[in-house]
Structures are given as structure tokens and as C-alpha cells.
Amino acid sequence: MVGVENEIVVPTVGMKFADETEVFEFYKRDAYHVGFPIRKRTTKREDDEIVRSMSFTCSREGRRNRNQSTSLNPLPTIQTGCKARLIVSSDAHGIFRINIVHLKHNHKMNPSKSRLYRCNRQVSERVKRRLEVNDIAGIPLHKSFNSTVVEAGGFDNMTCVEKDCRNLIERVRCLRLWEGDVIAIQAYFSKMQTRSPGFFFCMDLDDDCRLRNVFWTNNRSREAYKEFGDVVTFDTTYLTNKYDMPFAPFVGVIHHGQSTILGCGLVSNEDTNTFVLLFRTWLECMNDQAPNGILTDQDRAMQNAIQIVFPNTKHRWCLWHILKKLSKKFGSHKAKGSILHYTCVSL
């Protein structure tokens, strides 16, 4: 748009922009000045994939369905049904024009908090490099973030929050392997596959061909699953070895009451996308036969992945994790002692 870059201009119908990015940046500057967060709401494309219209709204637009609330998925409180929005359309030359503008909000504005809204937060390249180096060196993220805050002169000068830094590290993490380990793993798996035709493995690489996640299982485990795959336990145990990688085994129980391994994985992080990939890979090598039940700890990422990959499987929480939290959850309840005693006796 023609005009001064830093000048705050109120959106009006008829204003024109060179592309969709310019529209978004313009509306974001206005929102930053007024004090509300924005998001891209809808995008309509023609058959040729050319964008014809777009809408941007206040992030407090809409309301969530209260029936979808659970203890592990509490309802966010940001949505207030705000109607503020900006709707644009493009012409034959790709020029975007504002067609509809609603400036009125149904909530209070707070320009002093604009830098903390998700659409405005960003992690600088310098901070990114420091976080990655410190993470490789084993420095806890909260300490790295605190040092960044001190260097910036306080929280008021930060352009990101700790959650942004944590998300960044989770995205860039790869398996902490030594030089040559990836080749060694692939060579070993290939040799096992030659010796045992039922051996299955999958190596997940990122865009830079760095190893992120590994899954493997053998023919014995696959055959055992056919007989003892009704109920499966899945857990990630953080190993205290030189590699510092979460080990993720699928475990079943045979007719003698003994545990049997049904597959193993090494994962770079424990988010929903990683678990979805791991579950789908495991399900593929088990002939797409989902278990009747699966036991996990109370991890939200696992729960989300199970709902995606195993929608008809009964998901239950591990009893050990439940008992571990009983004392803390009951706190100073007057019947705490008898409840804990009855629980232990019942088990």
C-alpha cells in the first residue's frame, strides 16, 4: 500500500494492497496499535489455486462448544464472539481490495500487551542460535530463557515468551546421535531385515535429512501381537544415558502374565505429531489391526494422538501414575488416610 511504513492508518473500504502478505501486515500493525490480536480466518481459492478472497478477524472471534470440554482439554477463555474483521478480494491483476471492515470490538483493548499476542511474538535469529546451542550443551530451557531476559533488560523488552522458545526447541530437536551413528543404525537395521524377513523399521528424517525418530520391531513381536494384542501399554521413559533420548516401547502381556515387547521407538520430542507418526507406523506393521485397549500416562499429546490413530480403541490411564498422584490430589482431605488405605487394599 502506498504510504509511510510506520504510519498508523485506520482500515477503510476501498484500500488496495499488492498481495495478501501486505494486507496481513497492514492489519497487524493496526491491531498492534489498537491492542487486539488477529488471525487469518478464511481463504477462498479458484481452481487455479489463485487466492480470490480472504478474511482476517480478531482472535477473540467465535465461541467454543462447551460440550467439548474435558479435564485434559479445558476450554480456552479468549473467544468472546467479537465481530471485528477485515475482508478483502483480489482482482484479475492480483491486487487486493478491502470490501468489508468492522472496527468495533466487544472486549477491552490493551495496547501495552500487544507484543505478547501470538501474531506479534517472534524469536530473533540470535536468540534461536543461543537456545539451540544451549540445548545441545544440556542447559535447561528455562535457564536459557532467563539469561535472554536479563540480556534484553527485562520481560518488557522481550518479543517472545518462554513457550515460544520451548516450541522452537521441540521443532529443531533431532535425535542426539554421535557422528556416524545414523549410518550405523541404518546398516544394522538393514542387516536385521536381511536375516529376518519379518523385521520392520522406519527412520523419520527432517527437511535437512537429520534423524528425528526411529521405530523398529521384529517378526516375533508381530506374531505375538496377533495372539496378545488385545491390550497394549505405551510409555516414554527418559533414559539417563549419553544420548538423552526418550525410549518408547509398545508392551503387551502374554498368557503367563509376562510382558512382551511389541515394538520400540526412539523419539526426538514428545508432541502430538511425533506420537501420531509413531502410532501409525506401528499400526502399519501390525497389519492395521488396532488394539482393543491402550494404557498410557496422563499425557495430553498421547491422548490426542490416540484419538487420531486409534479412534475406536479404549484409552485408559496407567494405574501407577494415578496412585502416584493420589497423595498430592487429596491434599489435606479429612478422609485422605482411609481413602488411600482402601485403595491400596483393593489393589
Side-chain angles (χ1 to χ4, degrees), residues 58-318:
C58 172
S59 292
R60 298 181 183 273
E61 177 261 350
R63 294 186 183 277
R64 293 295 177 91
N65 186 355
R66 295 186 177 277
N67 295 330
Q68 297 177 352
S69 177
T70 66
S71 60
L72 289 179
N73 187 27
L75 283 171
T77 58
I78 189 173
Q79 280 77 14
T80 63
C82 183
K83 300 298 184 182
R85 66 189 61 234
L86 184 75
I87 300 178
V88 298
S89 63
S90 64
D91 58 20
H93 302 287
I95 301 300
F96 284 83
R97 178 184 183 276
I98 297 180
N99 295 329
I100 299 176
V101 177
H102 291 294
L103 300 177
K104 188 175 181 180
H105 298 260
N106 66 353
H107 54 88
K108 294 182 179 179
M109 303 295 156
N110 194 345
S112 63
K113 296 292 181 68
S114 290
R115 62 184 179 81
L116 298 178
Y117 294 139
R118 182 179 300 178
C119 59
N120 298 321
R121 299 198 308 254
Q122 58 181 351
V123 183
S124 67
E125 291 298 326
R126 179 179 56 80
V127 173
K128 287 180 181 179
R129 288 193 296 271
R130 168 175 290 186
L131 292 174
E132 291 183 29
V133 171
N134 289 352
D135 185 58
I136 294 174
I139 300 175
L141 187 136
H142 71 276
K143 291 186 177 180
S144 296
F145 179 75
N146 289 340
S147 67
T148 303
V149 173
V150 173
E151 184 178 352
F155 287 98
D156 292 340
N157 299 321
M158 293 293 294
T159 59
C160 62
V161 297
E162 184 173 349
K163 183 179 179 180
D164 300 322
C165 298
R166 191 171 301 279
N167 291 339
L168 169 70
I169 292 301
E170 289 181 354
R171 288 196 301 269
V172 302
R173 272 179 178 170
C174 58
L175 292 183
R176 304 302 190 195
L177 301 178
W178 291 45
E179 185 177 356
D181 283 351
V182 175
I183 298 176
I185 290 175
Q186 187 171 16
Y188 177 77
F189 284 163
S190 298
K191 182 175 67 175
M192 291 297 298
Q193 200 169 47
T194 301
R195 293 181 177 180
S196 176
F199 187 86
F200 180 98
F201 74 93
C202 178
M203 302 176 69
D204 174 43
L205 307 177
D206 63 12
D207 294 337
D208 297 321
C209 294
R210 295 180 300 181
L211 188 61
R212 289 188 301 192
N213 309 294
V214 179
F215 171 79
W216 71 94
T217 188
N218 56 25
N219 191 59
R220 181 179 179 180
S221 296
R222 300 174 75 176
E223 292 299 320
Y225 180 74
K226 294 179 182 179
E227 301 295 334
F228 312 111
D230 293 340
V231 179
V232 174
T233 65
F234 178 79
D235 194 8
T236 52
T237 304
Y238 198 79
L239 302 184
T240 56
N241 58 18
K242 66 179 181 180
Y243 292 105
D244 289 335
M245 294 181 295
F247 176 62
F250 294 86
V251 181
V253 179
I254 65 175
H255 54 293
H256 293 299
Q258 299 173 333
S259 298
T260 181
I261 298 294
L262 302 176
C264 303
L266 290 173
V267 295
S268 58
N269 57 75
E270 299 173 82
D271 58 9
T272 298
N273 291 334
T274 299
F275 288 136
V276 167
L277 173 66
L278 189 64
F279 291 164
R280 283 177 174 168
T281 303
W282 179 76
L283 188 61
E284 177 185 349
C285 76
M286 296 301 174
N287 298 316
D288 292 323
Q289 184 63 43
N292 295 327
I294 186 169
L295 302 175
T296 71
D297 62 13
Q298 299 176 31
D299 183 271
R300 185 180 299 179
M302 286 186 193
Q303 183 190 37
N304 295 337
I306 289 172
Q307 292 175 348
I308 295 172
V309 183
F310 307 124
N312 299 319
T313 297
K314 292 182 173 62
H315 179 207
R316 297 292 183 265
W317 289 338
C318 174

Side-chain angles (χ1 to χ4, degrees), residues 1-16:
M1 186 188 72
V2 179
V4 181
E5 180 69 18
N6 295 326
E7 182 182 357
I8 304 302
V9 181
V10 178
T12 57
V13 173
M15 297 177 69
K16 296 182 178 182

Side-chain angles (χ1 to χ4, degrees), residues 33-46:
H33 174 72
V34 177
F36 67 94
I38 69 169
R39 64 181 175 183
K40 184 185 297 184
R41 187 67 174 85
T42 59
T43 301
K44 293 184 179 180
R45 302 176 184 269
E46 297 292 343

